[in-house]
Amino acid sequence: MNVPKTRTSRRTPCEQCPLRSLPTFREFEPSELAFVSDFKQGELLVEPGGTVLAEGSRSAHLFTVLAGWGFRYKMLGDGRRQILNYIMPGDLVGLQGSLMGEMQHSVEALSALTLCVFDRERLGQIYRSHPELAFDVTWIASQEERILDEHLLSIGRRTALERAAYLLSFLCQRASYSNLFRDERVSIPITQQHIADTLGLSIVHTNKTLKKLAERSLIRWADRGCDILDEEGLRRLSGWEGLEPIRRPFI
């Protein structure tokens, strides 16, 4: 589904960015903050199901997620989809297109997304004038590779039950670090089809697997997604050690 995107006149000042107050992210130096504030062109709102970037496209922009959930994916010619990873606040989107010329994957909004918009033509200024920010961009790309390594290990070697447990534990931890859970309910806005497309399982196999997790009181399936009841239990079941609690950069 290709839901129209909306450029908004609203612009959250970088000095008042809600992500800056989170312990997950490193602080900016005053000169870095001034550059990023000038680098930012505005904000983009994307409704759930809307396409942020399409595979094969050449975008004049790259983005940082300010609020909401999304995912990266690739499609086969017959319509089968593989979800590669999920995007959350602080993630940089479109770097591949900036460096390689065109996108090799697509990006879709899982929930309502708010994106900070940057001119990709100015990316080189970061490397010329702000080596600390340039290192941050490199770190973000390296971290994405590290996450994809873990996802590939999961798809290749974990059982279906372990795969599902790993994915939900991973999403829960990432979302928690990005302050996406604002109340006592820990809910991920995901469908069983999204999970199937991430894990490489049929929708029938996925449904049976999620029922087993629910029977162990690890999750509860709700109308708008998956409620996580026991993240630690999911992590133990998957054999995953969890994310390192490090302060990460963002642009």
Side-chain angles (χ1 to χ4, degrees), residues 193-221:
Q193 188 64 61
H194 288 118
I195 293 178
D197 289 350
T198 306
L199 302 182
L201 300 173
S202 70
I203 190 66
V204 173
H205 197 172
T206 299
N207 180 265
K208 291 179 179 179
T209 301
L210 294 174
K211 282 183 177 178
K212 291 179 182 179
L213 294 180
E215 289 168 357
R216 298 188 185 199
S217 299
L218 298 173
I219 66 170
R220 178 178 58 237
W221 205 260

Side-chain angles (χ1 to χ4, degrees), residues 68-87:
W69 303 67
F71 60 92
R72 313 174 200 265
Y73 68 95
K74 289 182 72 70
M75 298 282 288
L76 292 175
D78 61 4
R80 284 175 291 171
R81 178 177 69 177
Q82 177 66 48
I83 294 179
L84 307 170
N85 201 2
Y86 292 78
I87 59 172

Side-chain angles (χ1 to χ4, degrees), residues 69 86 88 167-176 188 190:
W69 303 67
Y86 292 78
M88 300 181 198
L167 174 64
L168 294 172
S169 175
F170 167 79
L171 293 176
C172 182
Q173 282 200 11
R174 280 222 56 212
S176 178
I188 300 172
I190 198 171

Side-chain angles (χ1 to χ4, degrees), residues 11-213:
R11 176 176 170 139
T12 304
C14 292
E15 296 80 5
Q16 300 174 21
C17 175
L19 302 182
R20 295 187 65 232
S21 63
L22 299 181
T24 303
F25 300 104
R26 82 162 182 86
E27 296 180 1
F28 282 176
E29 296 295 331
S31 60
E32 295 171 339
L33 188 60
F35 173 80
V36 172
S37 181
D38 181 62
F39 188 26
K40 180 177 174 179
Q41 292 187 322
E43 293 177 10
L44 186 69
L45 306 181
V46 187
E47 297 179 18
T51 298
V52 179
L53 291 167
E55 184 174 353
S57 67
R58 294 174 179 266
S59 174
H61 304 103
L62 63 157
F63 311 92
T64 290
V65 180
L66 183 61
W69 303 67
F71 60 92
R72 313 174 200 265
Y73 68 95
K74 289 182 72 70
M75 298 282 288
L76 292 175
D78 61 4
R80 284 175 291 171
R81 178 177 69 177
Q82 177 66 48
I83 294 179
L84 307 170
N85 201 2
Y86 292 78
I87 59 172
M88 300 181 198
D91 287 352
L92 190 61
V93 179
L95 180 62
Q96 185 185 84
S98 297
L99 298 177
M100 307 300 293
E102 65 179 38
M103 294 296 297
Q104 300 298 309
H105 60 254
S106 300
V107 180
E108 183 175 311
L110 190 59
S111 70
L113 267 180
T114 303
L115 302 164
C116 297
V117 181
F118 303 101
D119 181 0
R120 80 172 195 177
E121 294 298 327
R122 296 187 60 192
L123 184 62
Q125 289 183 241
I126 293 179
Y127 290 88
R128 290 191 296 270
S129 305
H130 296 277
E132 294 85 0
L133 290 177
F135 178 83
D136 288 349
V137 172
T138 304
W139 187 97
I140 290 169
S142 298
Q143 180 70 356
E144 177 72 15
E145 180 181 359
R146 182 179 180 182
I147 289 171
L148 290 177
D149 287 348
E150 190 69 38
H151 290 352
L152 182 59
L153 170 66
S154 190
I155 292 174
R157 291 303 176 187
R158 288 187 171 104
T159 67
L161 193 65
E162 291 168 343
R163 287 187 220 178
Y166 158 74
L167 174 64
L168 294 172
S169 175
F170 167 79
L171 293 176
C172 182
Q173 282 200 11
R174 280 222 56 212
S176 178
Y177 289 159
S178 297
N179 199 33
L180 282 170
F181 302 133
R182 303 298 177 88
D183 50 36
E184 294 183 0
R185 183 182 178 190
V186 179
S187 184
I188 300 172
I190 198 171
T191 68
Q192 292 193 12
Q193 188 64 61
H194 288 118
I195 293 178
D197 289 350
T198 306
L199 302 182
L201 300 173
S202 70
I203 190 66
V204 173
H205 197 172
T206 299
N207 180 265
K208 291 179 179 179
T209 301
L210 294 174
K211 282 183 177 178
K212 291 179 182 179
L213 294 180

